[in-house]
Short mmCIF file of all heavy atoms in Angstrom, two decimals:
data_model
loop_
_atom_site.label_atom_id
_atom_site.label_comp_id
_atom_site.label_asym_id
_atom_site.label_seq_id
_atom_site.Cartn_x
_atom_site.Cartn_y
_atom_site.Cartn_z
N LEU A 532 0.80 -1.18 -0.04
CA LEU A 532 -0.03 -0.01 0.01
C LEU A 532 0.85 1.29 0.03
O LEU A 532 1.90 1.36 0.61
CB LEU A 532 -0.90 -0.05 1.18
CG LEU A 532 -1.84 -1.13 1.41
CD1 LEU A 532 -2.52 -1.12 2.76
CD2 LEU A 532 -2.91 -1.22 0.33
N ALA A 533 0.38 2.25 -0.66
CA ALA A 533 1.09 3.61 -0.67
C ALA A 533 -0.03 4.67 -0.75
O ALA A 533 -1.14 4.44 -1.39
CB ALA A 533 2.05 3.79 -1.89
N LEU A 534 0.26 5.77 -0.16
CA LEU A 534 -0.74 6.90 -0.10
C LEU A 534 -0.26 8.08 -0.90
O LEU A 534 0.89 8.57 -0.79
CB LEU A 534 -0.90 7.35 1.46
CG LEU A 534 -1.89 8.51 1.69
CD1 LEU A 534 -3.26 8.10 1.29
CD2 LEU A 534 -1.76 8.84 3.18
N GLY A 535 -1.18 8.57 -1.79
CA GLY A 535 -0.83 9.72 -2.57
C GLY A 535 -1.09 11.09 -1.88
O GLY A 535 -1.87 11.09 -0.85
N ASP A 536 -0.73 12.12 -2.44
CA ASP A 536 -0.88 13.46 -1.88
C ASP A 536 -2.38 13.87 -1.82
O ASP A 536 -2.79 14.60 -0.95
CB ASP A 536 -0.25 14.49 -2.66
CG ASP A 536 1.38 14.34 -2.52
OD1 ASP A 536 1.81 13.89 -1.52
OD2 ASP A 536 2.11 14.87 -3.44
N GLU A 537 -3.14 13.36 -2.77
CA GLU A 537 -4.60 13.63 -2.82
C GLU A 537 -5.47 12.55 -2.17
O GLU A 537 -6.64 12.53 -2.43
CB GLU A 537 -5.00 13.94 -4.31
CG GLU A 537 -4.28 15.07 -4.91
CD GLU A 537 -4.60 15.31 -6.31
OE1 GLU A 537 -5.65 14.74 -6.88
OE2 GLU A 537 -3.81 16.01 -7.03
N GLY A 538 -4.87 11.68 -1.37
CA GLY A 538 -5.58 10.72 -0.65
C GLY A 538 -5.82 9.42 -1.49
O GLY A 538 -6.50 8.49 -0.97
N THR A 539 -5.26 9.29 -2.56
CA THR A 539 -5.41 8.02 -3.35
C THR A 539 -4.61 6.93 -2.73
O THR A 539 -3.50 7.12 -2.24
CB THR A 539 -4.89 8.22 -4.78
OG1 THR A 539 -5.46 9.41 -5.38
CG2 THR A 539 -5.15 6.94 -5.65
N ILE A 540 -5.22 5.72 -2.60
CA ILE A 540 -4.53 4.60 -2.05
C ILE A 540 -4.13 3.69 -3.21
O ILE A 540 -4.94 3.26 -4.03
CB ILE A 540 -5.49 3.69 -1.16
CG1 ILE A 540 -6.22 4.62 -0.06
CG2 ILE A 540 -4.75 2.53 -0.54
CD1 ILE A 540 -5.17 5.29 0.86
N PHE A 541 -2.81 3.51 -3.41
CA PHE A 541 -2.16 2.68 -4.45
C PHE A 541 -1.95 1.31 -3.87
O PHE A 541 -1.50 1.19 -2.74
CB PHE A 541 -1.10 3.29 -5.03
CG PHE A 541 -1.25 4.58 -5.69
CD1 PHE A 541 -1.00 5.80 -5.05
CD2 PHE A 541 -1.79 4.69 -6.94
CE1 PHE A 541 -1.27 7.04 -5.64
CE2 PHE A 541 -2.04 5.84 -7.61
CZ PHE A 541 -1.76 7.03 -6.94
N VAL A 542 -2.31 0.24 -4.75
CA VAL A 542 -2.14 -1.15 -4.16
C VAL A 542 -1.43 -1.96 -5.23
O VAL A 542 -1.86 -2.00 -6.36
CB VAL A 542 -3.55 -1.69 -3.96
CG1 VAL A 542 -3.48 -3.07 -3.27
CG2 VAL A 542 -4.52 -0.76 -3.16
N GLY A 543 -0.38 -2.67 -4.81
CA GLY A 543 0.36 -3.60 -5.67
C GLY A 543 -0.22 -5.00 -5.50
O GLY A 543 -0.97 -5.32 -4.53
N THR A 544 0.17 -5.85 -6.40
CA THR A 544 -0.26 -7.24 -6.37
C THR A 544 0.97 -8.17 -6.74
O THR A 544 1.93 -7.54 -7.14
CB THR A 544 -1.42 -7.56 -7.26
OG1 THR A 544 -0.99 -7.39 -8.64
CG2 THR A 544 -2.58 -6.67 -6.99
N ARG A 545 0.79 -9.47 -6.71
CA ARG A 545 1.83 -10.38 -7.25
C ARG A 545 1.30 -11.01 -8.46
O ARG A 545 1.40 -10.56 -9.50
CB ARG A 545 2.16 -11.37 -6.12
CG ARG A 545 3.18 -10.86 -5.13
CD ARG A 545 3.59 -11.86 -4.05
NE ARG A 545 4.03 -13.08 -4.66
CZ ARG A 545 4.19 -14.28 -3.90
NH1 ARG A 545 4.02 -14.23 -2.60
NH2 ARG A 545 4.59 -15.27 -4.52
N SER A 546 0.76 -12.25 -8.31
CA SER A 546 0.38 -13.10 -9.53
C SER A 546 -0.68 -12.38 -10.37
O SER A 546 -0.80 -12.68 -11.57
CB SER A 546 -0.09 -14.46 -9.09
OG SER A 546 -1.23 -14.37 -8.19
N GLU A 547 -1.44 -11.43 -9.74
CA GLU A 547 -2.49 -10.78 -10.58
C GLU A 547 -1.87 -9.77 -11.56
O GLU A 547 -2.52 -9.41 -12.53
CB GLU A 547 -3.44 -10.05 -9.62
CG GLU A 547 -4.32 -10.90 -8.79
CD GLU A 547 -3.51 -11.55 -7.62
OE1 GLU A 547 -2.36 -11.06 -7.32
OE2 GLU A 547 -3.97 -12.52 -7.07
N GLY A 548 -0.67 -9.29 -11.32
CA GLY A 548 0.02 -8.47 -12.24
C GLY A 548 -0.59 -7.06 -12.46
O GLY A 548 -0.27 -6.29 -13.35
N ARG A 549 -1.34 -6.66 -11.37
CA ARG A 549 -2.18 -5.37 -11.51
C ARG A 549 -1.59 -4.39 -10.46
O ARG A 549 -1.15 -4.77 -9.45
CB ARG A 549 -3.67 -5.57 -11.36
CG ARG A 549 -4.27 -6.40 -12.29
CD ARG A 549 -5.85 -6.57 -12.04
NE ARG A 549 -6.56 -7.14 -13.18
CZ ARG A 549 -7.82 -7.33 -13.22
NH1 ARG A 549 -8.57 -6.86 -12.22
NH2 ARG A 549 -8.42 -7.85 -14.30
N VAL A 550 -1.83 -3.08 -10.73
CA VAL A 550 -1.70 -2.08 -9.75
C VAL A 550 -2.97 -1.23 -9.76
O VAL A 550 -3.43 -0.85 -10.79
CB VAL A 550 -0.53 -1.10 -10.16
CG1 VAL A 550 -0.42 0.07 -9.13
CG2 VAL A 550 0.79 -1.86 -10.26
N TYR A 551 -3.59 -1.11 -8.55
CA TYR A 551 -4.83 -0.48 -8.34
C TYR A 551 -4.62 0.93 -7.77
O TYR A 551 -3.61 1.21 -7.08
CB TYR A 551 -5.73 -1.23 -7.40
CG TYR A 551 -6.09 -2.62 -7.76
CD1 TYR A 551 -5.37 -3.73 -7.25
CD2 TYR A 551 -7.20 -2.94 -8.53
CE1 TYR A 551 -5.71 -5.09 -7.56
CE2 TYR A 551 -7.54 -4.24 -8.83
CZ TYR A 551 -6.77 -5.33 -8.35
OH TYR A 551 -7.04 -6.60 -8.65
N ALA A 552 -5.63 1.75 -7.90
CA ALA A 552 -5.76 3.04 -7.21
C ALA A 552 -7.21 3.16 -6.67
O ALA A 552 -8.14 2.99 -7.44
CB ALA A 552 -5.49 4.17 -8.14
N LEU A 553 -7.27 3.46 -5.40
CA LEU A 553 -8.61 3.50 -4.79
C LEU A 553 -8.88 4.97 -4.31
O LEU A 553 -8.01 5.61 -3.74
CB LEU A 553 -8.69 2.62 -3.56
CG LEU A 553 -8.23 1.15 -3.63
CD1 LEU A 553 -8.24 0.48 -2.25
CD2 LEU A 553 -8.95 0.39 -4.69
N LYS A 554 -10.11 5.36 -4.55
CA LYS A 554 -10.50 6.77 -4.10
C LYS A 554 -11.61 6.75 -3.23
O LYS A 554 -12.67 6.01 -3.50
CB LYS A 554 -10.81 7.59 -5.41
CG LYS A 554 -9.67 7.96 -6.25
CD LYS A 554 -8.62 8.87 -5.73
CE LYS A 554 -9.20 10.22 -5.59
NZ LYS A 554 -8.11 11.16 -5.04
N ASP A 555 -11.55 7.48 -2.17
CA ASP A 555 -12.70 7.64 -1.21
C ASP A 555 -13.12 9.10 -1.37
O ASP A 555 -12.65 10.01 -0.65
CB ASP A 555 -12.28 7.38 0.25
CG ASP A 555 -13.21 7.74 1.23
OD1 ASP A 555 -14.52 7.94 0.86
OD2 ASP A 555 -12.87 8.05 2.40
N SER A 556 -13.98 9.33 -2.31
CA SER A 556 -14.26 10.68 -2.73
C SER A 556 -15.16 11.44 -1.66
O SER A 556 -15.11 12.64 -1.64
CB SER A 556 -15.03 10.69 -4.13
OG SER A 556 -14.22 10.12 -5.09
N ASP A 557 -16.05 10.77 -0.99
CA ASP A 557 -16.96 11.44 -0.08
C ASP A 557 -16.44 11.34 1.39
O ASP A 557 -17.18 11.79 2.30
CB ASP A 557 -18.36 10.78 -0.19
CG ASP A 557 -18.31 9.22 0.07
OD1 ASP A 557 -17.29 8.68 0.54
OD2 ASP A 557 -19.37 8.61 -0.14
N GLY A 558 -15.27 10.81 1.59
CA GLY A 558 -14.66 10.91 2.97
C GLY A 558 -15.37 10.03 4.01
O GLY A 558 -15.22 10.28 5.17
N ASP A 559 -16.00 8.90 3.57
CA ASP A 559 -16.65 8.05 4.55
C ASP A 559 -15.83 6.79 4.95
O ASP A 559 -16.32 5.90 5.50
CB ASP A 559 -18.00 7.66 4.10
CG ASP A 559 -17.92 6.75 2.84
OD1 ASP A 559 -16.85 6.63 2.28
OD2 ASP A 559 -19.01 6.16 2.38
N PHE A 560 -14.55 6.83 4.46
CA PHE A 560 -13.60 5.73 4.75
C PHE A 560 -14.17 4.40 4.08
O PHE A 560 -13.89 3.33 4.63
CB PHE A 560 -13.39 5.61 6.23
CG PHE A 560 -12.67 6.81 6.80
CD1 PHE A 560 -13.44 7.76 7.55
CD2 PHE A 560 -11.33 7.11 6.57
CE1 PHE A 560 -12.73 8.88 8.08
CE2 PHE A 560 -10.70 8.17 7.12
CZ PHE A 560 -11.48 9.08 7.89
N ARG A 561 -14.70 4.57 2.97
CA ARG A 561 -15.01 3.46 2.03
C ARG A 561 -14.67 3.86 0.61
O ARG A 561 -15.01 4.92 0.20
CB ARG A 561 -16.49 2.98 2.10
CG ARG A 561 -16.94 2.32 3.36
CD ARG A 561 -16.38 0.92 3.37
NE ARG A 561 -16.90 0.04 2.30
CZ ARG A 561 -17.93 -0.75 2.35
NH1 ARG A 561 -18.65 -0.79 3.39
NH2 ARG A 561 -18.19 -1.46 1.36
N ALA A 562 -13.89 3.05 -0.03
CA ALA A 562 -13.50 3.30 -1.41
C ALA A 562 -14.77 3.47 -2.26
O ALA A 562 -15.53 2.57 -2.37
CB ALA A 562 -12.53 2.34 -1.91
N ASP A 563 -14.83 4.58 -3.04
CA ASP A 563 -15.99 4.74 -3.96
C ASP A 563 -15.59 4.25 -5.42
O ASP A 563 -16.48 3.79 -6.07
CB ASP A 563 -16.35 6.21 -4.06
CG ASP A 563 -16.63 6.82 -2.71
OD1 ASP A 563 -17.48 6.26 -2.03
OD2 ASP A 563 -15.90 7.68 -2.31
N THR A 564 -14.35 4.36 -5.76
CA THR A 564 -13.93 4.06 -7.08
C THR A 564 -12.56 3.25 -7.08
O THR A 564 -11.70 3.68 -6.30
CB THR A 564 -13.73 5.34 -7.92
OG1 THR A 564 -14.89 6.14 -7.84
CG2 THR A 564 -13.54 4.98 -9.41
N THR A 565 -12.49 2.32 -7.90
CA THR A 565 -11.23 1.48 -7.95
C THR A 565 -10.84 1.60 -9.39
O THR A 565 -11.54 1.16 -10.31
CB THR A 565 -11.44 -0.02 -7.62
OG1 THR A 565 -11.89 -0.07 -6.16
CG2 THR A 565 -10.21 -0.82 -7.71
N TYR A 566 -9.58 2.13 -9.62
CA TYR A 566 -8.99 2.21 -10.92
C TYR A 566 -7.93 1.03 -11.05
O TYR A 566 -7.23 0.82 -10.08
CB TYR A 566 -8.30 3.50 -11.11
CG TYR A 566 -9.20 4.77 -11.03
CD1 TYR A 566 -9.41 5.23 -9.72
CD2 TYR A 566 -9.82 5.38 -12.06
CE1 TYR A 566 -10.23 6.39 -9.56
CE2 TYR A 566 -10.66 6.53 -11.91
CZ TYR A 566 -10.76 6.95 -10.64
OH TYR A 566 -11.53 8.13 -10.46
N ILE A 567 -7.80 0.57 -12.30
CA ILE A 567 -6.68 -0.24 -12.56
C ILE A 567 -5.65 0.50 -13.25
O ILE A 567 -5.82 0.84 -14.52
CB ILE A 567 -7.09 -1.51 -13.28
CG1 ILE A 567 -7.98 -2.39 -12.46
CG2 ILE A 567 -5.88 -2.33 -13.72
CD1 ILE A 567 -8.47 -3.67 -13.09
N ILE A 568 -4.51 0.82 -12.66
CA ILE A 568 -3.53 1.68 -13.21
C ILE A 568 -2.80 0.92 -14.31
O ILE A 568 -2.34 1.50 -15.35
CB ILE A 568 -2.51 2.20 -12.10
CG1 ILE A 568 -3.34 3.03 -11.13
CG2 ILE A 568 -1.34 3.02 -12.76
CD1 ILE A 568 -3.94 4.33 -11.70
N ALA A 569 -2.45 -0.31 -14.08
CA ALA A 569 -1.65 -1.17 -15.03
C ALA A 569 -2.05 -2.64 -14.81
O ALA A 569 -2.50 -2.99 -13.74
CB ALA A 569 -0.20 -0.94 -14.84
N LYS A 570 -1.87 -3.47 -15.76
CA LYS A 570 -2.04 -4.86 -15.68
C LYS A 570 -1.04 -5.63 -16.59
O LYS A 570 -0.42 -4.95 -17.43
CB LYS A 570 -3.45 -5.31 -15.96
CG LYS A 570 -3.92 -5.02 -17.39
CD LYS A 570 -5.39 -5.55 -17.60
CE LYS A 570 -5.88 -5.29 -18.97
NZ LYS A 570 -7.30 -5.80 -19.13
N GLY A 571 -0.87 -6.91 -16.34
CA GLY A 571 0.12 -7.58 -17.17
C GLY A 571 1.55 -7.40 -16.80
O GLY A 571 2.39 -7.84 -17.52
N LEU A 572 1.73 -6.87 -15.59
CA LEU A 572 3.07 -6.76 -15.10
C LEU A 572 3.57 -8.01 -14.34
O LEU A 572 2.79 -8.74 -13.96
CB LEU A 572 3.21 -5.52 -14.13
CG LEU A 572 2.71 -4.15 -14.78
CD1 LEU A 572 2.91 -3.02 -13.74
CD2 LEU A 572 3.46 -3.84 -16.03
N ASN A 573 4.86 -8.03 -14.25
CA ASN A 573 5.50 -9.19 -13.60
C ASN A 573 5.59 -8.98 -12.09
O ASN A 573 6.60 -8.37 -11.56
CB ASN A 573 6.88 -9.43 -14.19
CG ASN A 573 7.56 -10.71 -13.70
OD1 ASN A 573 6.87 -11.59 -13.04
ND2 ASN A 573 8.86 -10.97 -14.06
N SER A 574 4.60 -9.41 -11.29
CA SER A 574 4.61 -9.36 -9.87
C SER A 574 4.94 -7.88 -9.41
O SER A 574 5.85 -7.59 -8.74
CB SER A 574 5.64 -10.21 -9.24
OG SER A 574 5.19 -11.58 -9.35
N PRO A 575 3.99 -6.90 -9.71
CA PRO A 575 4.21 -5.53 -9.29
C PRO A 575 3.81 -5.33 -7.78
O PRO A 575 2.86 -4.63 -7.51
CB PRO A 575 3.26 -4.75 -10.18
CG PRO A 575 2.17 -5.70 -10.49
CD PRO A 575 2.80 -7.07 -10.49
#
């Protein structure tokens, strides 16, 4: 896990090969949107 300046939560994976970004836009401490930043990577 890593935290961006604007509150984005970045998430790495292993065999899935994906990197996610999670946004809690309304501040209720539940992610509202999940983005896939990249996929097909070798254990990111």
Side-chain angles (χ1 to χ4, degrees):
L532 302 171
L534 179 63
D536 290 336
E537 299 176 15
T539 308
I540 309 298
F541 296 99
V542 188
T544 65
R545 277 180 54 189
S546 59
E547 293 73 16
R549 294 179 172 185
V550 178
Y551 300 96
L553 310 178
K554 293 291 290 186
D555 170 22
S556 301
D557 58 8
D559 66 348
F560 296 101
R561 285 289 300 267
D563 305 302
T564 311
T565 300
Y566 303 86
I567 295 182
I568 300 300
K570 64 180 180 180
L572 302 183
N573 187 9
S574 291

